[in-house]
Amino acid sequence: MSVIIFAELADGAIKKSSLEAIFYGASVAQLIHTEATVIALGSSTEDELAKLGNWGAHKVLWANDTALNENNAQVYANLVANAAADATVFIFAKSSLSDAVSARVAAKLKAGIVTNVTDLPEVTSGFKVKRSIYTGKAFATVALNTSVKVIGIKKNAVQPVLSNATATVEPLATVLEEKDLGVKVIATHKASGTVSLPEADLVVSAGRGLKGPENWGIVEDLAKALGAATACSKPVSDADWRPHHEHVGQTGLKVAPNLYIACGISGAIQHLAGVNSSKVIVVINKDPEAPFFKSADYGIVGDVFDILPRLTKVLTD
Amino acid sequence: MKILVCITNVPDTTAKIAFTDGDTQLNKAGITYITGPYDDYALSRAVELKEQLGGTITVLNVGLSDSDPVIRKCLAIGADDAIRINVEPTDSFFVAEQIAQVAKQENYDLILMGRESIDFNSGIVHGLVGELLGIPSISPVMKLEIEGTVAKMTREIEGGKEDIEAHLPLVLGCQEPIAEWKIAGMRGIMSARTKPIKVLEPTGQVTTTTELYTLPAPKGAVKMIAAEEAESLIDLLRNEAKVI
Ligand SMILES: Cc1cc2nc3c(=O)[nH]c(=O)nc-3n(C[C@H](O)[C@H](O)[C@H](O)COP(=O)(O)OP(=O)(O)OC[C@H]3O[C@@H](n4cnc5c(N)ncnc54)[C@H](O)[C@@H]3O)c2cc1C
Ligand SMILES: Nc1ncnc2c1ncn2[C@@H]1O[C@H](COP(=O)(O)O)[C@@H](O)[C@H]1O
């Protein structure tokens, strides 16, 4: 019996969402009186991985192979499902890669799978988790009835508390099967130098109230002063004012930062669906009747072209 | 080209969610049901591919008879026939098994789904089906072209996108801008009336059970800050909300 956490690497470092998953997995391990093992696939360093002990990992199984640097859900799922025969709980962060790997691990092991889990499981009678459904509008308490269980967590499902412990790092053999290598990456187009939106704790988001792409400087300046990621509403990305991957909402990315600042966004229900899990919401809109104010913690009725530069100034002075 | 499109029957995006029967059932009263928005993209791309390459489109839904109006709409938009697996779809693994059962009997070149459903938002049914069939699953796909037996795709990745290629058969989770949303024309609506919906009973076992639904705690009142004092927001975020 053990808990396995799949950790995603980006340029050799464990991604922030995976660190949270590791802490979550370690907490589950404590609940069911066992230990947490992390699986890391691809290039990294022993030091980086040993530090995962701070997040509660007991052991890290590391396949140090550059062939694994290219994300491949089929290859990863094989390695994860076979890594520990006695594993009973598998934990994943939220991302399209982790979603795919978790689904494939569940299918291989005939395991019940629940994603978007928002709290630690209840293990006193059975194994129950609380998950977010209807795009943040409700929760469901779900019992997993299979002996092996696969859980995908939502951001902020736990508040990590770090220790000074280190994890032992052990090698994991790479197994590549020809049938799993069917997907070829031809080219990658990555926006560089910005804070990653899915992982961001702070987000500055703007909508049609900004009037045009040429005005995004004031949004980026405020984001930079805060160390925040930028996001936008759907009409903004539909009009190509901003790249598609910045669009949040029902049909875009779902984010759950500690702070979401909405600038010139009306607060349509489909927009709220993507941001309603944020801890604190600030709304800046010149229309006092804008529906977004009903979902806000702090509100300013004002013109974004006046307010945003003033906020940036306070932060940078 | 033989295409299977898997669709969900879900409350429309503006629906107010509430529960009945001691918070164990969704209160369906007053809710308008739609095809999942991402599933709509999958179906729309299937229709375009059929126009381009010929072939057939089958729509598949795991759901009870209240899905039939939405299935008819998909037939009106351009699917040739439909299959409904007659069971309440509450468990992703169980749903994926039903889809895989159907797919194993028919050799579909493409199984198109949405990137996620908007009721469960799981984002995993394509991965589950891909593994159950032993073929690749790719999501979210923003662009899809078929050249012979090769699919050329653009997939969204965190903070960017990636051009990829793979041989058919494939399972794909679709999202905008993969296709223009299609609207049913009068002729489509007429012809959909006579297109078959085959109803099958489910097989296999559920792996999870939903015991209780809850709603989020209501939001506290908003604290308004006068525009002249906008600067004080930063202090409030630092010292009151403690988020920066
Ligand atoms: C199926 C479906 C799915 C959808 N999915 C999404 C989604 O995922 N994400 C999403 O965002 N939307 C989505 N939408 C669209 C959504 O319904 C709204 O149309 C959209 O969110 C509006 O964007 P907006 O707030 O930027 O623009 P608008 O509604 O035009 O609002 C602009 C706001 O800016 C304010 N404003 C204007 N000028 C200023 C100024 N100088 N200073 C301050 N404020 C100003 C205005 O008062 C107004 O409130 C979806 C719609 C449908 C039907
Ligand atoms: N009950 C269902 N019937 C048919 N297809 C489904 C069903 N549930 C999910 N799917 C498909 O799987 C995709 C992803 O769903 P999910 O994993 O629930 O986010 C959806 O967009 C649909 O294409």
Side-chain angles (χ1 to χ4, degrees), chain B residues 219-238:
Chain B
K219 195 95 187 164
V222 50
K223 189 168 206 166
M224 296 305 292
I225 301 160
E228 307 77 66
E229 289 156 23
E231 284 82 359
S232 67
L233 173 71
I234 302 300
D235 183 56
L236 288 167
L237 294 177
R238 276 196 185 121

Side-chain angles (χ1 to χ4, degrees), chain A residues 15 104 134 186-187 189 298, chain B residues 119 131 135 161 163 240:
Chain A
K15 283 174 49 178
R104 286 186 171 266
Y134 296 111
I186 308 296
H189 316 276
Y298 297 98
Chain B
D119 48 2
E131 185 64 34
I135 59 177
K161 47 195 177 180
D163 300 327
E240 188 178 81

Side-chain angles (χ1 to χ4, degrees), chain A residues 207-209 211 233-236 247-252 264-268 270-271 284-287 290 302-305, chain B residues 13 37 181:
Chain A
R208 269 212 297 236
K211 308 278 189 290
S233 66
K234 179 167 157 39
V236 164
H247 139 217
V248 295
Q250 179 106 47
T251 50
I265 302 176
S266 57
Q270 297 94 351
H271 184 84
I284 303 167
N285 195 306
K286 69 175 184 191
D287 174 11
D303 186 335
V304 286
F305 295 99
Chain B
T13 56
W181 268 351

